[in-house]
Amino acid sequence: MKRCRLGAQDVVSTVLSTMAHTSLDAEQKDKLQTTLDELAQVLPGCFLTLVTPTETLFNGQSGKFDMLKPDSRDVTGEDVMWFASTTKLITSVCKHQLEAIKSR
């Protein structure tokens, strides 16, 4: 089994480092996509979308639809996936957002 050198905190840090912006440049988008690509080595189908109230800043996906099938197709933005056990990640993002707001 492959191991990913990224932990949940690394992913949250990558996302949060881009959240102070109302737009993302090509380098920031590449960094987010690279993070997704690395996670997709150990997780089935990784998706990330960052939005403001008026626009989509980043919409990326990476990985195989089914990691148990070696010939599985790549995920697309049109795929619907079921996910669970994301409470810790969502809570961490919310906590960091609140801390960022308090420090302004």
Side-chain angles (χ1 to χ4, degrees):
M1 176 181 224
K2 293 182 183 178
R3 292 191 51 95
C4 180
R5 66 180 172 85
L6 289 175
Q9 289 180 324
D10 298 311
V11 176
V12 171
S13 295
T14 300
V15 172
L16 290 176
S17 69
T18 64
M19 289 178 67
H21 307 280
T22 56
S23 64
L24 299 177
D25 61 29
E27 183 179 336
Q28 291 167 315
K29 289 179 182 180
D30 286 344
K31 184 176 180 182
L32 289 170
Q33 188 61 52
T34 299
T35 301
L36 282 178
D37 293 342
E38 186 170 334
L39 287 171
Q41 298 300 310
V42 293
L43 300 172
C46 296
F47 298 84
L48 177 64
T49 301
L50 298 176
V51 298
T52 69
T54 58
E55 67 179 311
T56 301
L57 300 177
F58 179 81
N59 189 19
Q61 60 276 331
S62 186
K64 297 293 184 186
F65 188 78
D66 185 347
M67 288 188 70
L68 299 177
K69 297 179 182 175
D71 60 343
S72 179
R73 66 177 177 78
D74 291 337
V75 294
T76 70
E78 302 298 315
D79 288 327
V80 176
M81 305 290 276
W82 174 73
F83 65 98
S85 300
T86 59
T87 305
K88 289 179 185 176
L89 177 61
I90 293 169
T91 302
S92 297
V93 170
C94 292
K95 178 183 179 289
H96 286 289
Q97 285 179 326
L98 289 172
E99 289 175 354
I101 290 169
K102 285 180 187 178
S103 67
R104 289 183 190 166

